[in-house]
Amino acid sequence: MAPNGAGRYAFPYVRWTIIGLFVGAMILNYLARSVLGVAAPVILAEQSISSQQYSWITSAFQLGVMFQPLVGFLLDSAGLRLGFTMCAALWSLITMAHVFAQGWFSFAGLRFGLGLAEGSAQPAGQKLIAEWFPSRERGVAGGIYNIGASFGAVFAPPLVAWAVLTQSWRLAFVVAGALGLLWCVAWLLWYQIPSRHRRLSTAERTYIEGGQEARLAVGAKRTPLAQLIRRRELWGIALPRLLADPVWGMLSFWMPLYLARVRGFDLSQIAIFAWLPFLAADLGCLFGPAVVAFLQRKGVDLIDARRWAFTLGAVLMTAMTMVGLATNPYVAIALLCIGGFAHQTLSVTVITMASDLFRRDEVATVAGFAGLAGNLGILIFTLTLGHLVDTVGYGPFFVVLGLLDLVGAFILWTMVRKPA
């Protein structure tokens, strides 16, 4: 390590250590939100909660997450070091409070609070890569931190199975929340913006700043929200999220119930197989940025490259239409894996576009609006599924999920304009 400009010894590749630490936050964020879905077969039976009441519980979470624009505005104002620490500590404490839940109404209240705090993750991630990464690395950085979302869901099934076998489902919530509080300490100790980080070398700071677009620099004054939401690029990102995110809601909240009630899986089988679509999603987190990088090397403009990557993911997503028709449960799981892979291929791509198109003091707010749209899509989907699933089954919902992203791709191509 060599001395930096402040006379302290610089740490190599600080930006990658920070994204690595943020991956930990994403893992814990999605672990905390996924525990309920995995434990749902046990909880619903123990507490006599119906499918419709369960849809209300999951919808309460989505309502909380839909406050992402306000959380994003908070992060743009307070900064990531303190603002995101407060959010992470809050979601960790609420996760642990699930041990006191009795009945669907108390679960719904906790899920609303959890969604409100956990909605900070994507706006924080976009603000982080906008501040810490040159444009050529933002797609990869975004893909890496979104791996945390999938890994959190990967770890949830074995954690819940272990907790149930050891004590009860409540233990899983305690473990997930306690790990989040420990992460907050590490974040406070290591994170700062590039201009204030004591271990950032002069060379790395110059590299980061030299690769960022001048048009995306922090403005002299904040853009009014009313002006920001009139920009067509915001809606060009938000509407595809509205159509894409119900797939993640299906995988996170409803897949364990589907495997238990339709495919006849017990808790041990769910622990063995339910994490596989999320492992495939991890690969999608890397595949989307790889497609963008390949197209850019071929001379394709950055925005067009992202649109092509999204479109490829939308085409792959059509495999989901066949899940309900598969007679073999393992074929159904394979198709769900393709869905997870396709979703993260396109989701990471469209999420990252916020940092390509908006200033660094706008990006968390814009990502929050896009997150609101995505979670509104999950809310509408889960309420509809909860109301109809006992009557029509899961098959029609898989068909809808397989086709919605084709519409999202059309919106992305028609509404998002390339920067002048």
Side-chain angles (χ1 to χ4, degrees), residues 121-162:
Q122 282 294 350
Q126 285 302 295
K127 187 172 181 64
L128 186 151
I129 64 174
E131 289 180 347
W132 271 94
F133 288 86
S135 61
R136 70 180 69 89
E137 293 179 348
R138 281 201 296 262
V140 175
I144 289 173
Y145 89 67
N146 273 285
I147 285 176
S150 303
F151 265 120
V154 165
F155 294 147
L159 173 62
V160 171
W162 168 79

Side-chain angles (χ1 to χ4, degrees), residues 193-223:
I193 60 175
S195 61
R196 295 181 184 174
H197 204 289
R198 296 176 297 174
R199 298 298 180 183
L200 183 65
S201 69
T202 302
E204 186 175 7
R205 182 180 289 111
T206 301
Y207 174 76
I208 293 169
E209 294 173 352
Q212 293 180 332
E213 304 93 328
R215 62 182 174 81
L216 300 181
V218 174
K221 60 180 181 178
R222 294 289 301 276
T223 305

